């Protein structure tokens, strides 16, 4: 179970990095990450590894939303869905 949760965090990081590239952000740009996740287990994994995720994607803040962020990117993580949005700081 722990390995699966860590794998979910890695997939989340990959998706956030892909979104940074799609937005053309500088490699050192600091961001605010907005996350929408309905599945409690996936949300728990993201929260468990939040500091590692933030360090990898240079997020100064991670917000959890009640609805998908506008201009968000939908991630399929092991059949579960997360929607992330990025704002530059």
């Amino acid at each position: 179970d722990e390995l699966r949760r860590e794998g979910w965090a890695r997939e989340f990081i990959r998706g956030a990095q892909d979104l940074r590239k799609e937005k053309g952000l500088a490699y050192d740009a600091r961001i605010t990450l907005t996350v929408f996740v309905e599945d409690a287990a996936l949300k728990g994994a993201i929260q468990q590894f939040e500091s590692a995720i933030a360090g990898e994607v240079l997020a100064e803040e991670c917000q959890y939303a009640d609805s998908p962020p506008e201009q968000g990117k939908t991630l399929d993580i092991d059949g579960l869905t997360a929607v992330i949005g990025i704002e530059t700081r």
Side-chain angles (χ1 to χ4, degrees):
D1 189 51
E2 183 66 24
L3 286 176
R4 183 183 69 195
R5 292 167 65 85
E6 190 174 329
W8 288 351
R10 286 272 148 224
E11 283 297 307
F12 186 87
I13 290 168
R14 184 189 55 75
Q17 295 288 40
D18 287 348
L19 183 55
R20 285 180 61 93
K21 289 177 191 170
E22 289 171 18
K23 290 186 168 270
L25 299 181
Y27 74 93
D28 60 348
R30 302 291 174 177
I31 62 168
T32 296
L33 188 62
T34 302
V35 182
F36 171 74
V37 182
E38 289 187 47
D39 184 84
L42 179 56
K43 184 175 183 178
I46 293 167
Q47 289 173 324
Q48 178 183 353
F49 292 99
E50 185 176 306
S51 62
I53 291 168
E56 289 284 330
V57 302
L58 300 180
E60 292 184 343
E61 185 178 0
C62 188
Q63 305 171 344
Y64 295 89
D66 294 330
S67 61
E70 290 185 30
Q71 308 293 319
K73 178 179 180 73
T74 301
L75 307 177
D76 179 341
I77 300 174
D78 202 20
L80 304 172
T81 302
V83 182
I84 59 173
I86 288 178
E87 293 178 32
T88 54
R89 301 213 76 188

